[in-house]
Amino acid sequence: MEDHVVVLGYGYLTRPFLDKIDGRVEYVAVVTDTELAERLRKRGYSVVEAESVNEEAVEDASVGKARTVVVASESDADDALAVLTARDTNPDVEIIAVASNSENAEKLRRAGADTVVSPSEIVGKLLVESALTGEDTSEIVERIHERVVQD
């Protein structure tokens, strides 16, 4: 595999991500749970079963030839180690990490993530916008969704 996307870890954002990326670019997800790996394979996902911080797993997922690595488990500590492992394997790869706790966003950047997305920060900003302006922020979410689906 080459010029593909590697997903290290599995969390609440991973399945929607895999659903959206499926068919658009080659990808592989690295997951630790055997039952989860089997369920994902049955859905047609490309899966490597291993710890996302395991150097062999990162090599099996061809991080060295990947275009992007997405790190999105539900553990920021595990994600920081996965970012470090991916960055060590491929210093030039684009790494996008999800911060489950917004306080850890900067730590993920320091670990080597190029982009850090914090769902709680995004939701917080939308709530503030709605509360202060009365704007229906569901329209903002819908515009983002349409853009992602169209791209």
Side-chain angles (χ1 to χ4, degrees), residues 1 4-11 14-15 17-18 21 26-33 36-37 40-41 45-52 57 60-61 70:
M1 210 176 286
H4 60 294
V5 174
V6 176
V7 179
L8 297 177
Y10 193 87
T14 310
R15 182 173 179 192
F17 176 80
L18 293 175
I21 201 169
E26 282 191 290
Y27 67 89
V28 61
V30 178
V31 300
T32 58
D33 182 87
L36 173 62
L40 293 174
R41 286 186 188 105
Y45 295 139
S46 176
V47 177
V48 170
E49 183 186 336
E51 293 286 333
S52 62
D60 289 346
V70 175

Side-chain angles (χ1 to χ4, degrees), residues 47-62:
V47 177
V48 170
E49 183 186 336
E51 293 286 333
S52 62
V53 298
N54 181 301
E55 290 178 4
E56 286 181 31
V58 169
E59 288 176 20
D60 289 346
S62 299

